[in-house]
Amino acid sequence: DGGITQSPKYLFRKEGQNVTLSCEQNLNHDAMYWYRQDPGQGLRLIYYSQIVNDFQKGDIAEGYSVSREKKESFPLTVTSAQKNPTAFYLCASSIPGSGEQYFGPGTRLTVT
Amino acid sequence: QKEVEQDPGPLSVPEGAIVSLNCTYSNSAFQYFMWYRQYSRKGPELLMYTYSSGNKEDGRFTAQVDKSSKYISLFIRDSQPSDSATYLCAHNSGNTPLVFGKGTRLSVIA
């Protein structure tokens, strides 16, 4: 069964702690993306990666970091430098050369 | 500029109504257009995908793209309560990040 998995579904952290969100896909897609969604706002791009060992900053990369060591995996670390980390985080992947992107189920992060 | 403008709603319609959702965009270099449906607390689901002007139909859903006006629409016929969700329009130029509208929240009342 092909798809994108994100874990965990809900995550709670104390302020000042770094936290890593997992994203795995078995669709054989080259490109992967991380978005953040806040209430009343659309999806905002954090980071994306077109190929293994390469990634680019999106519109709101400050306070986040990523790695892309394997084609299947694109973990996102929310660092303590991110001023307002509480949000719904979505991972996506895309078919090379087409516009279609497919999303995972999301991780809801709450930082108190 | 790469923005996509979308009326946020909320939009409330009776069951069986025809729903029209609309977006305008500014970057004519973007060729691929998508509509996503997002239920509360879930990831967006790709509903319709097109890369040309004109209409594309899939069951009760029709996506319409007018590149001359930079206008994209999604029509839902015979709307059902299960269609209640947030609908997001998006576009890009291929293997690049999507640019999203902010979404329109739709409620279909039985």
Side-chain angles (χ1 to χ4, degrees):
Chain A
D1 216 7
I4 302 173
T5 57
Q6 292 186 243
S7 60
K9 188 172 181 179
Y10 297 97
L11 192 53
F12 298 88
R13 281 294 183 271
K14 294 289 187 186
E15 200 173 305
Q17 294 179 333
N18 291 356
V19 59
T20 297
L21 281 59
S22 168
C23 177
E24 304 277 332
Q25 54 98 1
N26 60 5
L27 300 168
N28 199 34
H29 289 173
D30 286 310
M32 296 186 74
Y33 310 83
W34 274 105
Y35 295 89
R36 169 182 172 140
Q37 188 175 36
D38 296 282
Q41 302 213 32
L43 277 67
R44 292 185 290 168
L45 181 67
I46 304 172
Y47 268 98
Y48 66 104
S49 168
Q50 304 273 34
I51 197 167
V52 173
N53 292 322
D54 188 44
F55 48 82
Q56 286 77 43
K57 292 182 179 180
D59 300 320
I60 56 165
E62 186 176 347
Y64 300 98
S65 66
V66 293
S67 62
R68 186 84 188 278
E69 296 176 1
K70 298 187 301 181
K71 187 176 185 178
E72 302 79 20
S73 179
F74 191 39
L76 173 74
T77 297
V78 184
T79 76
S80 56
Q82 168 50 234
K83 295 190 188 322
N84 188 16
T86 295
F88 189 44
Y89 290 87
L90 289 156
C91 178
S93 68
S94 68
I95 299 170
S98 87
E100 300 172 66
Q101 288 186 15
Y102 295 90
F103 284 83
T107 292
R108 188 165 299 275
L109 172 65
T110 302
V111 176
T112 57
Chain B
Q1 208 172 15
K2 55 177 184 176
E3 292 171 347
V4 178
E5 299 292 332
Q6 184 174 8
D7 186 338
L11 183 61
S12 184
V13 301
E15 183 176 357
I18 296 174
V19 176
S20 172
L21 304 168
N22 306 295
C23 292
T24 58
Y25 65 94
S26 55
N27 192 333
S28 57
F30 286 7
Q31 309 158 22
Y32 298 88
F33 303 90
M34 276 137 279
W35 283 96
Y36 286 85
R37 178 175 63 195
Q38 185 177 25
Y39 292 113
S40 181
R41 299 178 181 270
K42 304 287 187 186
E45 167 194 1
L46 182 61
L47 198 58
M48 298 288 283
Y49 164 71
T50 182
Y51 56 86
S52 61
S53 280
N55 293 352
K56 181 178 181 181
E57 192 172 316
D58 184 1
R60 296 184 295 110
F61 298 90
T62 300
Q64 186 176 82
V65 177
D66 182 346
K67 288 187 177 180
S68 61
S69 303
K70 297 182 184 174
Y71 199 80
I72 53 179
S73 301
L74 178 71
F75 299 97
I76 307 174
R77 291 183 297 281
D78 188 25
S79 56
Q80 303 295 309
S82 59
D83 295 327
S84 298
T86 296
Y87 291 81
L88 299 154
C89 60
H91 71 154
N92 69 359
S93 61
N95 204 21
T96 56
L98 285 169
V99 177
F100 283 89
K102 292 191 174 181
T104 299
R105 191 187 310 170
L106 171 67
S107 294
V108 181
I109 310 300

